[in-house]
Structures are given as structure tokens and as C-alpha cells.
Amino acid sequence: MNFSKYIKMSHPQEPQRSFFHFGNPFRSPKGSHLPSGLLSLLDKFEKTLSERLQKLVPKDKSDILSLSWMKLAMESLSEIHRDIKNLITELEIPVTDWDEKWIDVYLDISVKLLDITIAFTSELTRLNQGHLLLQCVLHKLESNSSDQFLRAYSSLHSWREQIRSKNPRVETCRPVLDNLVESLDLPKVRNSAKGKVLMRAMYGAKVATTYICSVFAAAFSGSTDNLLDLSSTVPAILPWAQVFYNVQTTVNTEIKNIFSRGEFTVLRELLAVDNCANKLYPLLQDGFSPAQEESFKHSVSDLRKTAEKLSQGLDNLSKVVDDFFKIVLSGRDALLCNLRAGCASPNSVLGRNTDKQSVR
């Protein structure tokens, strides 16, 4: 294989083409022509994928698009990508035996995910910066000065404007998602049983990743335009398909229900803070009577609690998004590193050198 086009690359610049442009490798159910050892690895991966997806269907639909649910979704993606890396190790395919199409798939996935994860990090940072304005509001509300109340009103107004503004980086997610969806084809791999297992597993990971990223893009953009429906692209024959359909239907329905109520965001914790701000807004703007003082104190207390919950949720989500970025980047770097060393280390596989015999 000619590795030269990969050795110097840090960001693949390739013409637009079908992502999995080489067809469907599993026309027979359950990959029946695969050796038993490889079929066992595939079954294990796809069973685990189903279990990870199932966790995204909460008992209470109101948990969907809470920051804790989004954290769980991103952790699931990280686990799925670790599963892919582990599968590559278990398959023990020497990098010198990798088809260029497999390398293209892996690198193409990784660079798109790095781009979209950077956009998510940008939005989380922007929302976290808003917490500083809320802290400023709460600090001013500790005073009984009408002048401080007016300043608190001004800061609260700035916060409400900020969270309703658009993030240009999030707007770039849709073209990336579209590119992935338009090319969602099951790969056809000839003369390589291991390649068939790898490509089918990567297909499952890519479907889950593309969909969950679309949910994040919809949540962060405040628009259902970024929300994907992949039902028609996922063959029902796949063992994790029904679980995926269920996750997608449940999550998409809930997101659309929230937006149908005219909410500016589907992020639960952000809505909670905004609702508290709406109660305080007229009291700060117009003043309040002694009879309203107790209500005012309760509103300030509610704002403090919800603001702290939002800040903690954003911090936790930011950490798992960063972890996902690192997993994608390390996998990409490991492949490129192994490509450089491929000729010198013929048994090199992604993330591991091995002298063991290949699984047949």
C-alpha cells in the first residue's frame, strides 16, 4: 500500500465522495459468512452498542436534554469510540494490511468529529461565561440599594441577550452533519473478513455519533433544523437498529414538543434560570412593595440555586466533551503514527504493537 499521502497529513483534504462508498458488505443476516471468532467479536460490539444506546432512553422524558442527560450521551459516545479502538486491537490487523478505504473512513470520521466537538466546546464556554453575569446579578441583589437593583437589572438583561444570541461556530455543524448523512452507506469490503467486521462496527459507531451530535447541535443552536432523523438510513436487520429507532423517536419527539411551546432553548437547566430571571425582571425594573418583599427574596434564592445548578452542569458536560475530543484525537494520532512506522513495524495496529498471530 502507498502510505505517502497519509504520512504528512494532519488534516485530510479530500474531494467530496460517498463516505462509505463501497457498498453493503452484509447482505446476509448476522454476517453469516464470517468465521466464528470474528462473528463473536462483531456480536459483542453490537450488543454493547445496543446497551449503550438503551441507556439514553430515560424513565422520565423530562430528563431528556437536561445537562446530566447530555453528559450521559457524550460519555456513551466516548465509550463507543473506545469500543472501536478495542475492536481494532482485538482484530489485530497490521497497519500494512489496512485498505486505503479503511484509513480514509477513519480519518474522515475523526476530522469531522474534531471540528464539531470544537463547536460544542465553544458554545459551552459561551454559556459558562454567562455565569459571570449571573454572579454579578446575585452580588448586587445582596444590597438593599435601589441603585444596585438597577445595575442588577442591567446585568440580567445582558445575560438574557447573551443566551439568546447565536454562536457562529454552532451554525457550522449542519454542513458537517449533512456530509456524514449523505454518505451513510454500509461499506462493502472484499477479500477481508476482518475488514467487514471493522467497517460494520464503524458504521454503527458513526450512526450513533452522527445522531447524538445532531441532538447537541439542535440543543445549542435552539433550532430543530439541526435535528436528524436517520430511520431510513439504518437497516432494520442490524441488531441495534430497533434500540436506535426507539432512542431517536423518544428524543426527537421531546425536543420538538419543547420547541412547539415557543421555548428559546431545550436545555432544561438554562430554561430554569431564565424562568427565575423572568420573575425577577419586573420587580427589578419597576420596584416592589413591602408586601412583595418575601416573594422577591424567594425569587433571588431560586435564581441562585438554578444558576449554580446550570454552572455545575455546564462544567461537567464540558469535561466529558473534552474527553471525547481527546479520544478522537488520540485515535487519529495513533493511526497516523502507525502509518509512519508501518514499514518498520509490520505488526503495528492502531494503538498497539503485537507479535500475536492474527485472528482468523
Side-chain angles (χ1 to χ4, degrees):
M1 182 196 302
N2 181 10
F3 292 139
S4 60
K5 73 172 182 176
Y6 302 110
I7 299 304
K8 296 181 180 180
M9 72 191 306
S10 59
H11 191 297
Q13 301 294 330
E14 300 176 5
Q16 294 299 315
R17 53 170 170 71
S18 175
F19 191 81
F20 286 134
H21 56 294
F22 25 104
N24 183 350
F26 294 109
R27 294 179 180 175
S28 56
K30 295 293 290 179
S32 58
H33 297 304
L34 291 174
S36 59
L38 295 180
L39 184 57
S40 175
L41 288 177
L42 179 60
D43 286 345
K44 176 185 174 183
F45 176 87
E46 294 187 321
K47 180 181 178 181
T48 302
L49 177 60
S50 293
E51 293 170 351
R52 300 202 190 288
L53 290 172
Q54 185 61 49
K55 291 179 182 178
L56 301 183
V57 181
K59 294 180 180 178
D60 185 351
K61 288 194 298 184
S62 66
D63 289 338
I64 292 174
L65 287 192
S66 64
L67 293 176
S68 59
W69 182 90
M70 294 180 72
K71 176 175 176 286
L72 174 64
M74 189 56 66
E75 286 173 337
S76 296
L77 283 191
S78 293
E79 290 167 349
I80 290 168
H81 283 257
R82 288 192 188 98
D83 293 340
I84 284 288
K85 185 175 180 180
N86 291 337
L87 178 63
I88 292 173
T89 299
E90 290 176 308
L91 288 173
E92 297 182 341
I93 309 175
V95 76
T96 49
D97 288 353
W98 275 51
D99 191 296
E100 289 190 13
K101 295 172 183 177
W102 309 350
I103 298 173
D104 288 346
V105 166
Y106 197 94
L107 293 178
D108 203 12
I109 289 174
S110 65
V111 76
K112 287 177 172 61
L113 292 181
L114 292 175
D115 287 343
I116 208 167
T117 306
I118 288 171
F120 294 160
T121 298
S122 169
E123 179 62 9
L124 288 167
T125 299
R126 190 181 73 89
L127 292 174
N128 248 327
Q129 288 171 344
H131 185 66
L132 296 176
L133 285 171
L134 290 176
Q135 290 296 100
C136 182
V137 170
L138 291 167
H139 177 71
K140 289 178 171 61
L141 291 178
E142 292 175 356
S143 168
N144 289 323
S145 165
S146 58
D147 181 59
Q148 289 291 80
F149 284 177
L150 287 175
R151 291 183 180 181
Y153 169 82
S154 177
S155 295
L156 195 58
H157 179 73
S158 296
W159 176 80
R160 294 178 82 240
E161 284 191 330
Q162 182 196 36
I163 62 172
R164 284 168 170 78
S165 62
K166 299 295 183 182
N167 183 342
R169 287 196 173 184
V170 174
E171 300 305 311
T172 66
C173 293
R174 183 66 204 214
V176 176
L177 293 170
D178 284 342
N179 182 267
L180 294 177
V181 174
E182 289 169 1
S183 57
L184 262 178
D185 297 315
L186 281 169
K188 184 176 182 180
V189 180
R190 299 181 185 277
N191 305 320
S192 174
K194 292 182 180 181
K196 289 182 179 182
V197 171
L198 177 59
M199 290 298 100
R200 176 156 154 174
M202 288 180 71
Y203 173 77
K206 183 173 175 249
V207 168
T209 303
T210 302
Y211 173 68
I212 292 175
C213 283
S214 84
V215 171
F216 272 60
F220 289 148
S221 66
S223 170
T224 57
D225 290 344
N226 286 316
L227 191 62
L228 297 176
D229 184 338
L230 302 179
S231 299
S232 62
T233 65
V234 177
I237 194 176
L238 295 172
W240 48 267
Q242 293 302 320
V243 175
F244 175 76
Y245 298 154
N246 185 32
V247 171
Q248 181 178 254
T249 299
T250 303
V251 174
N252 284 12
T253 300
E254 183 62 17
I255 292 175
K256 291 175 182 178
N257 285 341
I258 296 174
F259 278 123
S260 70
R261 298 195 292 265
E263 306 288 4
F264 76 96
T265 181
V266 291
L267 297 177
R268 303 284 185 179
E269 290 84 349
L270 188 57
L271 272 177
V273 176
D274 191 57
N275 288 336
C276 291
N278 289 338
K279 293 178 182 179
L280 273 174
Y281 221 57
L283 297 175
L284 292 174
Q285 185 178 30
D286 304 326
F288 53 91
S289 65
Q292 294 175 298
E293 184 173 354
E294 196 63 28
S295 175
F296 174 77
K297 290 181 179 179
H298 280 304
S299 295
V300 172
S301 176
D302 289 344
L303 179 64
R304 180 174 285 107
K305 291 176 183 177
T306 55
E308 182 58 34
K309 186 176 181 180
L310 172 64
S311 178
Q312 187 63 52
L314 290 172
D315 285 343
N316 291 337
L317 182 55
S318 295
K319 290 175 183 177
V320 296
V321 170
D322 184 55
D323 287 342
F324 179 65
F325 180 90
K326 291 176 180 177
I327 289 170
V328 175
L329 184 61
S330 65
R332 178 184 176 80
D333 286 348
L335 176 56
L336 291 172
C337 182
N338 278 305
L339 287 171
R340 295 186 185 96
C343 293
S345 303
N347 289 319
S348 179
V349 295
L350 186 58
R352 172 184 172 187
N353 289 332
T354 179
D355 294 324
K356 294 181 180 180
Q357 293 295 316
S358 298
V359 177
R360 295 298 179 187

